[in-house]
């Protein structure tokens, strides 16, 4: 419903390999940690975005998207739905090409704003589940 197969494929294969993962910390028990690991295994550069700005999977972290000093292709969002909309707006401001809201992260107004701004968007899906299905 919030991202057809063509959009999912385009985000995972065509839009670029630099993924900012919002909510990624060094806490190995969190879903973001494992998903970031899968993304790296599939050739993505994973940039942690978390208030702690920790280095994760060998990449230095940043406290916000705005602090990342290089272009970001996809913003993968691991925050509660009530916090996700502002992150999508930051992704638009950053110049990202796509926004991906993880499983259970739903904000229909943010989805519409992001699409109107010209970005591809997927919501309530997980790239670690989708990327192995591409073959």
């Amino acid at each position: 419903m919030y991202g057809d197969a063509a959009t999912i494929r385009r985000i995972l294969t065509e839009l670029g390999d630099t993924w900012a993962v919002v909510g990624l910390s060094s806490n190995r028990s969190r879903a973001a940690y494992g998903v970031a690991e899968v993304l790296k295994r599939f050739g993505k550069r994973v940039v942690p975005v978390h208030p702690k700005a920790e280095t994760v999977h060998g990449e230095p972290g940043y406290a916000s998207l705005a602090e990342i000093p290089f272009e970001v292709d996809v913003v993968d969002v691991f925050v509660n739905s009530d916090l996700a909309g502002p992150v999508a707006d930051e992704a638009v401001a950053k110049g990202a090409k796509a926004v991906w809201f993880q499983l259970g992260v739903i904000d229909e107004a943010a989805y519409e704003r992001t699409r109107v701004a010209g970005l591809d968007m997927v919501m309530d899906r997980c790239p670690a589940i989708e990327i192995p299905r591409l073959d």
Side-chain angles (χ1 to χ4, degrees):
M1 181 174 174
Y2 301 112
D4 57 67
T7 301
I8 289 169
R9 178 174 289 281
R10 186 170 46 256
I11 292 171
L12 292 171
T13 64
E14 298 174 22
L15 295 186
D17 291 333
T18 301
W19 285 54
V21 181
V22 178
L24 175 58
S25 71
S26 62
N27 184 342
R28 294 172 183 264
S29 67
R30 303 288 300 183
Y33 190 91
V35 170
E37 212 164 39
V38 171
L39 289 169
K40 280 189 64 82
R41 196 164 58 242
F42 279 88
K44 307 301 181 190
R45 178 182 184 189
V46 175
V47 181
V49 179
H50 189 278
K52 294 180 183 176
E54 300 171 304
T55 295
V56 184
H57 298 304
E59 279 286 339
Y62 298 89
S64 70
L65 289 173
E67 292 180 22
I68 300 173
F70 47 83
E71 289 186 15
V72 169
D73 300 310
V74 181
V75 176
D76 189 6
V77 182
F78 277 94
V79 299
N80 293 329
S81 295
D82 56 340
L83 302 174
V87 175
D89 297 336
E90 289 175 35
V92 171
K94 178 72 179 160
K97 299 171 189 164
V99 175
W100 192 300
F101 281 7
Q102 282 294 326
L103 290 170
V105 180
I106 299 171
D107 181 330
E108 293 180 9
Y111 182 86
E112 289 303 318
R113 286 195 311 274
T114 303
R115 300 287 293 151
V116 166
L119 282 70
D120 278 331
M121 182 156 182
V122 172
M123 188 163 64
D124 194 26
R125 297 301 256 304
C126 179
I129 292 170
E130 301 297 335
I131 202 166
R133 295 178 177 170
L134 294 176
D135 293 334

